[in-house]
Amino acid sequence: MRVYKMMFRKGSKKKLLEAAFLSSFLFPNDDFINNLNIIGENHSHFSIHVSPDKFTLAISNSNYSTLSILDNKAFSEVNIPDINTFECKWSPDSKKMLIMRSNFNDRKRKNSLIVLNKNGETYRTIIDYTDKKIFPLGWTGENTLHFLLDNQLVTSNLEGERFEWDFPLVYAIGNKLYKKVNESESKLIYEANDVILNLSYSKNALLVAFEVYGDQTLIIENDRFIIDDIKNGFYPKISPDGTLIVFMTLQDDGYRINKGDIYVWNSATRIIAPVANNMEKIEMNPHWINNEMIYFIDFESGSLNSTKVNIK
């Protein structure tokens, strides 16, 4: 079994004209659609992170080395050296973003962890450049953030106050899956056969989905029930209401991906239904916009596409 991470063909240009559907629920401004058209003609962007309040987009390229911020008023490119948008995380109040910086000197990689404001300006440096490995995990409150530092969980509050636990934190270290709901010790909820990848979980953490390297995709309900319905699906993403999981299936000819489709799994019925399976497209990397709509990438053209998720 091959495990695919988020990937896009170098050199392909994605026109954000196809993303104009976002304006219907993100931005009711006609000028935004015009901005999308202009942006699409002049930029190649392949990864989008929608803020929780649905009013701001953070857009990156396939190398995670660029960041652009788009809202209903303006489009701006973030000019911060060494920016690394891999696993960047919006704060719950949509005002901040946890993001890395990475560079290579003398064949050594150094990482830094910073917080940006919603305009893409540096708000706080959490860790300056270090040889240690950094992995952003997310937020459990407006000012409480979490990350791994050399595979050790670190929690920080931007205001130096008590840690907020408005939401559970689910995270993986190697092949072990943990859950933390307060300042007590993390709870080990699963130990996989190999490294856990592409973790997604509902807001209440009662539904968790992830890939196991070289194995299959698993679902965990209520910290106990292990479900393997998705099996050879990749890149699972749980819907905002925590009831559906969208995922992709991929095929290749031994050299390159030649087929990609997107499906949805219903936690109530455990039925899997097709969402996007156009034979002329290689559909992959789905993300939820709301409980009834996703966007995804066409690997061939790099274009952003949308589709409704209808579960009967």
Side-chain angles (χ1 to χ4, degrees), residues 202-265:
S202 60
K203 195 171 183 179
N204 60 11
L206 295 180
L207 190 67
V208 180
F210 54 90
E211 297 175 33
V212 178
Y213 181 79
D215 202 336
Q216 59 185 344
T217 294
L218 296 175
I219 302 165
I220 298 180
E221 284 188 319
N222 301 317
D223 296 349
R224 301 192 308 272
F225 303 107
I226 312 299
I227 302 170
D228 63 357
D229 291 353
I230 293 179
K231 293 184 179 178
N232 293 327
F234 300 102
Y235 202 65
K237 292 294 178 182
I238 297 176
S239 61
D241 65 2
T243 63
L244 306 173
I245 301 177
V246 69
F247 63 95
M248 64 183 181
T249 61
L250 299 175
Q251 295 180 13
D252 62 47
D253 58 9
Y255 297 95
R256 64 185 303 274
I257 298 171
N258 56 20
K259 182 176 175 55
D261 297 308
I262 296 172
Y263 297 84
V264 66
W265 177 85

Side-chain angles (χ1 to χ4, degrees), residues 254-286:
Y255 297 95
R256 64 185 303 274
I257 298 171
N258 56 20
K259 182 176 175 55
D261 297 308
I262 296 172
Y263 297 84
V264 66
W265 177 85
N266 188 334
S267 63
T269 63
R270 294 184 59 172
I271 291 175
I272 294 176
V275 173
N277 54 357
N278 188 327
M279 295 297 294
E280 297 181 357
K281 295 181 178 181
I282 299 178
E283 297 145 324
M284 57 188 297
N285 297 337

Side-chain angles (χ1 to χ4, degrees), residues 19 58 96 114 147-148 150 156 162 165 176 206 227 255:
K96 302 175 288 293
I114 61 176
F147 59 95
L148 296 180
D150 273 353
S156 176
R162 185 167 181 166
W165 291 98
K176 295 180 179 180
L206 295 180
I227 302 170
Y255 297 95

Side-chain angles (χ1 to χ4, degrees), residues 69 78 80 97 114-124:
I69 304 294
V78 177
I80 295 179
M97 179 176 287
I114 61 176
V115 174
L116 305 181
N117 64 22
K118 65 182 301 183
N119 298 317
E121 302 161 334
T122 301
Y123 177 82
R124 188 75 53 82

Side-chain angles (χ1 to χ4, degrees), residues 11-261:
S12 62
K13 177 173 286 190
K14 172 175 66 59
K15 293 177 180 288
L16 288 182
L17 176 61
E18 291 92 341
F21 75 92
L22 292 170
S23 64
S24 63
F25 70 95
L26 284 168
F27 315 108
N29 191 334
D30 290 339
D31 291 337
F32 174 73
I33 299 177
N34 294 330
N35 288 340
L36 281 177
N37 295 341
I38 295 171
I39 295 164
E41 290 294 336
N42 295 285
H43 300 270
S44 294
H45 292 135
F46 302 95
S47 178
I48 293 183
H49 303 270
V50 184
S51 63
D53 65 5
K54 304 294 191 292
F55 278 97
T56 308
L57 300 180
I59 313 173
S60 179
N61 66 356
S62 60
N63 294 324
Y64 306 106
S65 60
T66 65
L67 179 66
S68 301
I69 304 294
L70 178 64
D71 59 21
N72 62 333
K73 296 180 180 179
F75 169 81
S76 59
E77 295 185 6
V78 177
N79 295 314
I80 295 179
D82 305 329
I83 199 159
N84 179 356
T85 63
F86 180 69
E87 293 293 337
C88 61
K89 306 289 186 181
W90 280 104
S91 61
D93 60 5
S94 300
K95 294 181 179 179
K96 302 175 288 293
M97 179 176 287
L98 184 63
I99 197 166
M100 288 194 298
R101 298 173 68 191
S102 302
N103 65 34
F104 292 87
N105 288 313
D106 297 326
R107 298 182 180 180
K108 292 183 179 179
R109 171 171 170 158
K110 290 195 172 183
N111 300 302
S112 170
L113 188 66
I114 61 176
V115 174
L116 305 181
N117 64 22
K118 65 182 301 183
N119 298 317
E121 302 161 334
T122 301
Y123 177 82
R124 188 75 53 82
T125 296
I126 307 301
I127 297 180
D128 209 344
Y129 285 105
T130 175
D131 294 331
K132 296 182 178 180
K133 296 178 181 178
I134 298 175
F135 191 90
L137 294 177
W139 306 71
T140 55
E142 292 185 3
N143 292 300
T144 301
L145 57 90
H146 310 267
F147 59 95
L148 296 180
L149 186 64
D150 273 353
N151 284 337
Q152 296 294 317
L153 177 65
V154 179
T155 299
S156 176
N157 185 284
L158 296 176
E159 303 300 324
E161 299 176 350
R162 185 167 181 166
F163 298 151
E164 305 155 293
W165 291 98
D166 300 335
F167 320 99
L169 175 71
V170 179
Y171 64 99
I173 300 179
N175 68 327
K176 295 180 179 180
L177 186 68
Y178 296 93
K179 181 177 180 180
K180 190 173 177 67
V181 298
N182 51 40
E183 295 185 35
S184 300
E185 289 293 320
S186 300
K187 175 185 177 182
L188 177 65
I189 59 176
Y190 187 73
E191 188 167 353
N193 295 327
D194 212 316
V195 177
I196 292 173
L197 305 169
N198 292 327
L199 172 65
S200 177
Y201 60 96
S202 60
K203 195 171 183 179
N204 60 11
L206 295 180
L207 190 67
V208 180
F210 54 90
E211 297 175 33
V212 178
Y213 181 79
D215 202 336
Q216 59 185 344
T217 294
L218 296 175
I219 302 165
I220 298 180
E221 284 188 319
N222 301 317
D223 296 349
R224 301 192 308 272
F225 303 107
I226 312 299
I227 302 170
D228 63 357
D229 291 353
I230 293 179
K231 293 184 179 178
N232 293 327
F234 300 102
Y235 202 65
K237 292 294 178 182
I238 297 176
S239 61
D241 65 2
T243 63
L244 306 173
I245 301 177
V246 69
F247 63 95
M248 64 183 181
T249 61
L250 299 175
Q251 295 180 13
D252 62 47
D253 58 9
Y255 297 95
R256 64 185 303 274
I257 298 171
N258 56 20
K259 182 176 175 55
D261 297 308

